[in-house]
Amino acid sequence: MNHKKHPQRKSISIRVTIAIILFSYGTWEQYQEMYSDTIRPVEIRNVEKLRTCKKPQNGYMTFKCPNCAEKKYIPFSCKSRLCTSCGNKIVHKWSENIYNKLLDVTHRHIVLTIPTRLSKMIEGRADYLNALIDAGKVTMEDMIKYSSPKKEKLKIGLILVIQTYGGDLKYNVHLHGIVTEGGLNKRNNWVRTQFIKYASWRKKWQYEVLTRLKKKMPKCKDTTLLIDEMFKKYPNGFVIYGKRRFRKSNARSVIRYIGRYI
């Protein structure tokens, strides 16, 4: 029996970028039409920048070798936060800036979450997101203060970042925090917090979130019912995760993980 030899097919790899996803088959135009009532100007500007990223018509720099006179043309990048290439550089720059500000003490990576119903209500509301940041700040300050030996007021180191999406890309508002395990007291001495009982701070986080959101929400019966429901449905408070402990020397991976959402 004769077997015919088939020529091997060459595999072609294509790097899928945000620009390809948005500008293929009119995706971006359809998205703008569907969400015209909620899409923000800053989002439109950052997407439109992608069209000209590293394209010569957007401008370029010329480098010439003084010895052989060979020229090299480097097109300008778009500097958009959405850009697969430029965005990664921005994250790296932000991460290094944060890393340089960290104290050389033990830190803790903490995640503060809220129920799905609240998360959906908050979508697209900057004032509600600001309320979450304020609630997270107060909660974590008290968490460190009252976990310290003498429960004295401490000046802590704290970085809080809002993430509006989870790993599955579904809308899921939560806070990531990097906080020092301790702080400076009135005498400027460092007081270390060795143990944090996260379960006991869930109600504090819940209270701070709901009371702040209530002030931002319309003063009506529906608001009162929703806030009451959130207290009754979650009698143990909203979930707080105490992630890994780390020193500054091991902080870069945590910072980059948080920074990629920014």
Side-chain angles (χ1 to χ4, degrees), residues 1 6 38 40 43 80 82 95 107 112 118 147 156 161 166 172-173 186 188 220 225 249 253 261:
M1 181 179 289
H6 297 281
T38 59
R40 295 176 297 158
E43 294 170 332
S80 171
L82 292 176
S95 300
H107 291 74
L112 305 170
L118 279 185
S147 297
I156 67 172
V161 173
N172 175 24
V173 178
K186 292 181 180 179
N188 221 30
C220 62
L225 291 174
S249 57
S253 61
Y261 285 84

Side-chain angles (χ1 to χ4, degrees), residues 93-204:
K93 184 177 180 181
W94 181 87
S95 300
E96 285 300 305
N97 182 42
I98 294 299
Y99 176 82
N100 292 330
K101 291 180 179 180
L102 289 185
L103 301 175
D104 191 16
V105 298
T106 303
H107 291 74
R108 176 74 70 167
H109 177 196
I110 297 175
V111 181
L112 305 170
T113 72
I114 60 174
T116 302
R117 184 175 179 186
L118 279 185
S119 183
K120 291 180 178 179
M121 183 194 76
I122 287 171
E123 185 172 2
R125 293 293 302 263
D127 53 341
Y128 290 177
L129 291 173
N130 288 335
L132 280 190
I133 281 285
D134 292 339
K137 175 179 178 294
V138 171
T139 300
M140 295 180 80
E141 283 177 338
D142 283 356
M143 185 188 299
I144 300 301
K145 171 185 174 181
Y146 289 104
S147 297
S148 63
K150 296 183 180 180
K151 296 179 173 53
E152 55 187 326
K153 186 174 182 179
L154 301 175
K155 186 176 182 180
I156 67 172
L158 174 62
I159 298 166
L160 271 180
V161 173
I162 290 180
Q163 291 188 7
T164 52
Y165 289 86
D168 57 0
L169 296 183
K170 292 180 181 178
Y171 199 84
N172 175 24
V173 178
H174 55 288
L175 300 184
H176 279 263
I178 295 176
V179 62
T180 53
E181 286 195 343
L184 295 171
N185 61 17
K186 292 181 180 179
R187 297 174 296 281
N188 221 30
N189 294 323
W190 185 261
V191 178
R192 186 182 176 189
T193 299
Q194 296 184 333
F195 178 75
I196 302 173
K197 192 174 181 180
Y198 295 100
S200 62
W201 291 101
R202 292 178 57 174
K203 288 187 177 181
K204 170 70 175 177

Side-chain angles (χ1 to χ4, degrees), residues 61-82:
M61 294 183 70
T62 305
F63 295 88
K64 182 178 180 180
C65 176
N67 297 319
C68 66
E70 181 182 350
K71 291 183 180 180
K72 187 172 184 179
Y73 301 93
I74 307 295
F76 294 143
S77 59
C78 63
K79 306 296 188 297
S80 171
R81 290 179 293 173
L82 292 176

Side-chain angles (χ1 to χ4, degrees), residues 32 37 42 55 63 66 70 86 116 122 133 150 156 178-179 182 214-215 224 244 246 248 251 255:
Q32 289 187 87
D37 55 337
V42 66
K55 291 186 177 180
F63 295 88
E70 181 182 350
C86 301
T116 302
I122 287 171
I133 281 285
K150 296 183 180 180
I156 67 172
I178 295 176
V179 62
K214 187 176 182 179
K215 291 179 182 179
T224 302
R244 57 178 288 199
F246 58 90
K248 182 174 180 177
I255 297 172

Side-chain angles (χ1 to χ4, degrees), residues 5 18 25 44-45 57 103 108 132 154 167 189 242-243:
K5 292 184 177 180
I18 299 296
Y25 307 106
I44 296 174
R45 286 197 302 270
Q57 58 265 37
L103 301 175
R108 176 74 70 167
L132 280 190
L154 301 175
N189 294 323
K243 298 283 189 175

